[in-house]
Amino acid sequence: MPPQDNHTQKTNVKKMTLLALYTTIALTIFTLESLLPPLVPLPGIKLGLSNIVTLWLLMHTRARDALLVLTARIFLSSFFAGQMVSLMYSLAGGFFCFAAMTLLFRILGNRYVVFISIFGALFHNLGQIAVAVAITQLPSMLAYLPALAISGIATGTFTGLCAFYLKRHMPPRIAWPL
Amino acid sequence: MKFLKGLLYDKKALWLTFAVLAVFFAAAAAIWIQVRSSSEGKTAAIYQDGRLLRRIPLTDGTNESFKLKSSGGGYNTIRISDGKIGITAADCPDMLCVKMGMISSTGCPISCLPHKLVIQIEDAKEESPIDATTR
């Protein structure tokens, strides 16, 4: 480990604490959301509210930190739920969504967070369907894709608007005090 | 519309809106085609772990209920009655497969993803299970 001066060490600790805090927030949102009964009886349709945290971190800090929080959230939530199969769906969906959103944030910038959230939700569904086809080896799983796309647009708009208004009303020194 | 201020402000945002609308209408059209082209099938095929387990003809007289164990230790109770097939009980966490109800048309398959179980309706014309899985 390279020698670090006191200041960088302090920043690192601060940052780690902050990221842990955001992981807790994401995990709480995820757990509360999973208590809601599913509205439509199709696999993969849900609000995806914990994506607000990912969007939020992508707006304020480096993609690497957001990925860390996302990965921690996915692993912890599936440990608590005790489902190894759902871990694969979450990982595929989460990473597809994350890759698309990171790229779009680079191209478009923070102002377009609602659109980025919509495309993130669509890619999340795409990743999940890909895993479903791989696991069941039945291409007929693609029959769920149109319904998932429509729900992804609706829920993506909602989470995107949440992030948009949060950004507008929350002072940056509270959001990312580094 | 003060709350919309800052959402649709430039050309890029307009194009993105068009892109989202295009995806939306494409999906809606796909669902429409799916519903229109789906027909009342005659055979139910049950797949688990990517393999065809059983083919059951869905004639009106068939009335059957059986329990299917999954490789992970779970179970699904499958019921066939009145020319329809569905899952009536399961020990998966979300119970989506039960909530999907009874199906009899080729449109949307029933799946229990935690147990890697899929039930789909196929036309009686399709003969070999190999054709059905690679379709």
Side-chain angles (χ1 to χ4, degrees), chain A residues 41 111-112 140 143-144 165 168, chain B residues 3 5 9-10 34 109 120:
Chain A
R111 298 160 74 204
Y112 298 87
S140 57
Y144 294 135
Y165 288 119
R168 185 188 271 183
Chain B
F3 69 100
K5 200 180 147 203
Y9 31 73
D10 60 7
Q34 212 175 25
Q120 60 185 23

Side-chain angles (χ1 to χ4, degrees), chain B residues 26 29 46-47 53 59 61 73 87 94 104 116 119 132:
Chain B
I46 301 171
Y47 296 88
L53 283 190
T59 43
I87 298 175
D94 53 6
S104 64
K116 300 176 188 173
I119 302 174

Side-chain angles (χ1 to χ4, degrees), chain B residues 108-120:
Chain B
C108 205
I110 294 179
S111 61
C112 182
L113 293 176
H115 295 164
K116 300 176 188 173
L117 175 76
V118 179
I119 302 174
Q120 60 185 23

Side-chain angles (χ1 to χ4, degrees), chain B residues 12-130:
Chain B
K12 233 194 251 177
L14 213 60
W15 281 115
L16 286 166
T17 314
F18 281 134
V20 171
L21 284 177
V23 174
F24 179 81
F25 283 114
I31 288 179
W32 190 65
I33 291 170
Q34 212 175 25
V35 170
R36 264 189 61 123
S37 65
S38 71
S39 55
E40 295 286 304
K42 299 286 180 295
T43 320
I46 301 171
Y47 296 88
Q48 193 157 41
D49 301 318
R51 285 179 301 112
L52 177 68
L53 283 190
R54 253 185 99 174
R55 256 167 202 286
I56 306 166
L58 291 179
T59 43
D60 285 337
T62 322
N63 221 324
E64 203 186 331
S65 185
F66 57 92
K67 210 173 192 175
L68 199 66
K69 289 238 159 47
S70 81
S71 51
Y75 75 92
N76 297 76
T77 307
I78 296 169
R79 186 175 162 74
I80 300 140
S81 63
D82 304 325
K84 291 183 170 194
I85 186 164
I87 298 175
T88 49
D91 62 349
C92 53
D94 53 6
M95 303 287 274
L96 280 175
C97 50
V98 178
K99 287 183 189 128
M100 288 178 83
M102 310 285 283
I103 58 164
S104 64
S105 71
T106 53
C108 205
I110 294 179
S111 61
C112 182
L113 293 176
H115 295 164
K116 300 176 188 173
L117 175 76
V118 179
I119 302 174
Q120 60 185 23
I121 309 290
E122 289 165 3
D123 287 325
K125 276 166 265 161
E126 288 171 31
E127 304 88 7
S128 84
I130 296 158

